[in-house]
Amino acid sequence: MARTLNKGRNMPSGPLLHLLVLVLCVQGTGGRKMSETQDGDGHETTHTEHAHAHHPSSHMHHHMDPSVMIFFTLEDLKEGKTMAIYFPKRNPSKSPHLLPREEADQIPFSSKQLLHLLHFFSFSQDSPQAKAMEDTLRECEIEPIKGEIKSCATSLESMLDFTRGVFGVDTPFSVVATTHLTNSTTNFQNYTILEEPKEISAPKMVACHTMPYPYAVFYCHSQQSVNRVFKVLLGGEDGDRVEAVAVCHLDTSQWSPNHASFSVLRTKPGASAVCHFFPADNLVWVPASTSM
């Protein structure tokens, strides 16, 4: 799935903005449910690399957790290859939605304001929602790893501003995302690559991952290191069909040795490329001139 936005210096508005919002809603890209706290970081950080670089003990028990089964190697990326892959299935109607910038900017987004925010959203301090909010705010405030720039976007406008800052104000860019072509409810099963993966030539990319919060928050980041982006058509054992977006990080030398991928792939930082699939509610932005 790809949508192109010809973005110059002005923000998209009117029908263009409405189109992207519709795309996000159809994809289920509203935000992570507040009740989803599958790991010690308070959210499914297994779909990203940002949190793993900072939390050495986060994945001590992830060999038992199927949600880390999203990682693979560049050598695996070939027609006929079968892999066990975790694709979370979420109900878009139950996910938080993007707020307009005017509304989002009126709500503090800082761990220093956590008590105020819990009162604002009517969550008790010892609730799972409070823990999820605290973890999200902490992840957003952690310094980026070397060679990375990051921003937590609390509105569509702020996401586009960050992406434009990476690509340049005069560079049009497109969004690609994993698309489920069938309505399977199975989260974890064997998938086979049905045809030769198609590479999206993207000298730069911005990945935006949903975070658990009362409204939609995306952790967006871009790395200076070389990455390769692919579209991969997958067929599941139960007949599920997924057009998945995957990225391969060619330089992992700055990642934490305890990153979940190294346990799954039995490798270490800098030893080899690490690839992973994106769930459907994550977004990958690439320059429009190079997208498929």
Side-chain angles (χ1 to χ4, degrees):
M1 187 283 299
R3 294 291 186 275
T4 302
L5 299 180
N6 295 315
K7 306 174 188 65
R9 298 180 183 276
N10 297 322
M11 292 299 303
S13 60
L16 187 59
L17 179 60
H18 182 63
L19 171 63
L20 183 56
V21 171
L22 283 177
V23 170
L24 301 186
C25 291
V26 168
Q27 286 291 115
T29 317
R32 191 61 48 82
K33 286 170 60 179
M34 291 294 292
S35 60
E36 291 181 355
T37 55
Q38 276 84 346
D39 66 14
D41 290 327
H43 58 280
E44 293 180 345
T45 51
T46 52
H47 297 295
T48 71
E49 60 280 355
H50 66 265
H52 304 315
H54 302 289
H55 298 294
S57 62
S58 295
H59 301 285
M60 291 178 63
H61 304 291
H62 267 328
H63 61 283
M64 299 163 51
D65 184 355
S67 68
V68 300
M69 300 303 293
I70 57 166
F71 299 107
F72 59 96
T73 67
L74 203 51
E75 290 71 30
D76 293 327
L77 208 54
K78 57 187 178 183
E79 184 178 356
K81 177 69 176 180
T82 298
M83 297 179 279
I85 307 171
Y86 178 83
F87 281 114
K89 307 297 195 303
R90 304 189 180 99
N91 185 346
S93 66
K94 295 183 179 179
S95 296
H97 296 293
L98 285 160
L99 296 180
R101 170 178 268 167
E102 297 75 21
E103 188 174 345
D105 287 353
Q106 292 178 11
I107 304 173
F109 191 77
S110 167
S111 58
K112 295 179 181 178
Q113 297 290 326
L114 181 59
L115 291 179
H116 167 73
L117 289 166
L118 293 177
H119 178 74
F120 181 82
F121 290 110
S122 301
F123 294 135
S124 64
Q125 285 183 246
D126 58 352
S127 65
Q129 291 90 346
K131 179 67 165 63
M133 288 179 65
E134 181 181 11
D135 290 341
T136 289
L137 291 168
R138 185 188 71 235
E139 296 291 349
C140 289
E141 292 169 355
I142 289 176
E143 289 297 312
I145 63 175
K146 183 179 179 181
E148 178 192 51
I149 54 175
K150 53 171 270 193
S151 176
C152 279
T154 58
S155 66
L156 174 61
E157 294 93 336
S158 60
M159 186 192 308
L160 296 179
D161 279 351
F162 175 77
T163 304
R164 183 178 298 108
V166 172
F167 293 139
V169 294
D170 295 321
T171 301
F173 47 90
S174 300
V175 60
V176 293
T178 291
T179 304
H180 290 272
L181 306 177
T182 54
N183 293 320
S184 169
T185 57
T186 304
N187 287 332
F188 182 53
Q189 63 176 307
N190 287 324
Y191 285 89
T192 299
I193 298 178
L194 299 178
E195 60 185 35
E196 195 64 27
K198 300 173 182 177
E199 183 164 6
I200 301 172
S201 177
K204 289 184 179 180
M205 60 162 280
V206 174
C208 292
H209 313 277
T210 53
M211 304 288 278
Y213 213 68
Y215 55 90
V217 172
F218 286 83
Y219 185 113
C220 297
H221 63 141
S222 181
Q223 296 175 324
Q224 292 178 354
S225 59
V226 179
N227 303 293
R228 296 176 66 183
V229 184
F230 297 88
K231 283 184 179 178
V232 187
L233 182 61
L234 299 166
E237 286 182 318
D238 69 348
D240 190 24
R241 290 289 184 100
V242 182
E243 186 181 65
V245 174
V247 63
C248 291
H249 303 281
L250 304 192
D251 180 8
T252 61
S253 59
Q254 299 299 316
W255 293 16
S256 165
N258 296 287
H259 188 298
S261 65
F262 300 134
S263 296
V264 174
L265 302 177
R266 298 184 180 182
T267 183
K268 58 185 179 180
S272 63
V274 169
C275 307
H276 66 87
F277 291 106
F278 286 91
D281 61 357
N282 285 203
L283 301 174
V284 179
W285 300 91
V286 296
S289 59
T290 63
S291 65
M292 296 176 59

